[in-house]
Amino acid sequence: MELQTLIYLVVGASFALYIGIAIWARAASTGEFYVAGKGVHPVANGMATAADWMSAASFISMAGLIAFTGYDASVYLMGWTGGYVLLAMLLAPYLRKFGKFTVPEFIGERYYSQTARLVAVVCLIAASITYVIGQMKGVGVAFGRFLEVEFETGVLVGMGIVFIYAVMGGMKGITYTQIAQYCVLIFAYTVPAVFISLQLTGTPIPQLGLGSELAGNGTYMLDKLDRIITELGFAAYTEQKGSTLNLSLLTLSLMIGTAGLPHVIIRFFTVPKVRDARYSAGWALLFIAILYTTAPAVGSMARLNLTEMVQTGPVGTPEANLRYAERPQWFRTWETTGLLEFQDKNGDGRIQYYNDANPDFAERARQWGWEGNELVTVDRDIMVLANPEIAGLPDWVIALVAAGGLAAALSTAAGLLLAISSAISHDLLKGVLMPDIPEKRELLAGRLSMFGAIVLAGYLGMNPPGFAAEVVALAFGLAASSIFPALMLGIFHKRMNRAGAVAGMLAGLGSTLVYIFVYKGWLFLPGTNNLPNTAEYWLLGIQPESFGAVGALINFTVALAVARITAAPPEHIQHLVEDIRVPRAAQPGGTG
């Protein structure tokens, strides 16, 4: 059976499964649409949370980021997993105990203010829309390759699939679809990693293969990777390249941004009891760890395979560069998507892949007749999807990776779109504008707002401000600077009042958005940035992806200062805060 036919069959079967589940679990009430009727088992919720969490950024982009930046990309592993621990321990149980549908609803009631609720809606939509751009970029990359269509067409196809099962099923349908998607994506991620680890190191466990010797030559894999890429003018794979300040701030931004992501927080509203929120968080962390501990091996092995495919012998030897006419089929296939591009700058018909931005190496390269790096486009997001083809794995593994990449992008996109939909229909429409709206009309409004969010996300996904993991990092910065401080202060500081919370959220979100837009373009529109997005123009050398931690500090500072000089919250709100933090078993008549 041809590879393309096999891909259609595997991907088609997975889509039929997702849509079938959505029809079976169709939401019939607002409770089922927003929080799946609060009846999801902790293990099932843990698996659904893991799928919600392991987005296109995790499945498609993170290993690509690791492949091309090496050591510096470890901040994504530390920030995202560390942030999940923060969420599980400090926020999830308390928010579930409060018992509401959405994050803005909690903020509105905790801060006894419709204004606070509206500001929270704005913060949620800003973070979620930015996050969903990354998912749509991942959808376009995956569909573009495996349907052999242009990137933009791939995004449009993905929009249609998400619309069918997310709009129809709501949280109930999304939850059970995400359980199926987790099984698909984790199998699709680990199976190729096992194959490639066996090929390169003879070790079937990728996590061990990363630090093992290459089969047959006694050289450690990372040592060989360092040697090969430094010979081509790149920085060593295992050395730190960015500033310590940037790496530290980015790690912190990802951690607290994780804890403030509304589409993940809302998952803890779906379990029956407060205790179940902690249990499901523990299960989710276990399910997530399977992929996150595999990603460094996948990224490093992909970089090694790609480099050795192009540079077949000693650097500088004419015969040691792959002839373009002899490029493998996977190379030709990815060229059709526009995400891999070759330009024969010196007309020799061979592919020169090196760091032409390194002046010392570029001078040596000119002596060999090289006129510049000829792989002018290697989109980082293609590495996981192309990895099995580069390694020459069986066709069924390639088809499985196709299904896994699409499952990862679609699962998170659905969760984000639901968060946006619930913010508009439940918090804005029912909570503020039309409090007496009937349940059926609210459900319709939720579905219509989700449709609008899909259209907007699709457009921005076709014109993203970066690759998937980079765009997602911006979303985490927005969540870190706006939602996380308001939740933390709302739970642990009973003196925090509405004036402080609103001022803090506006200051944190506003400062972070302005900083990002100055370098990335206003509303992420190409060509509208005020300053080049390069280190010499960054304030104190802080990159936009790292600014969320600074925005959070601004939020905390402004909120505490304003709360100190304004009236304390009403007595019943202060008692409410104390009640949220006390375990139910410790209360009179409590059972936990």
Side-chain angles (χ1 to χ4, degrees), residues 6 22 95 99 167 196 211 216 234 254 289 300 306 385 442 469 497 511 531 556 568:
L6 190 60
L95 293 174
V167 172
I196 295 170
F234 296 100
L254 293 172
S300 57
L306 174 67
L385 302 177
E442 183 186 349
N497 60 14
S511 59
L531 294 172
F556 276 116

Side-chain angles (χ1 to χ4, degrees), residues 264-309:
V264 174
I265 292 173
I266 201 173
R267 288 237 55 93
F268 297 103
F269 298 164
T270 65
V271 292
K273 295 180 290 186
V274 175
R275 181 172 53 189
D276 293 337
R278 287 196 191 275
Y279 287 157
S280 63
W283 281 106
L285 202 52
L286 173 64
F287 293 134
I288 289 167
I290 298 172
L291 187 144
Y292 271 54
T293 56
T294 308
V298 171
S300 57
M301 292 173 184
R303 181 71 181 276
L304 181 63
N305 280 331
L306 174 67
T307 308
E308 287 192 317
M309 182 273 296

Side-chain angles (χ1 to χ4, degrees), residues 44 72 75 89 133 161 179 181 195 200 272 283 428 438 445 468 546:
D72 286 8
V75 299
M89 300 305 295
I133 296 171
I161 297 294
I179 292 169
Q181 287 169 331
F195 270 100
L200 293 176
W283 281 106
L428 183 59
S546 302

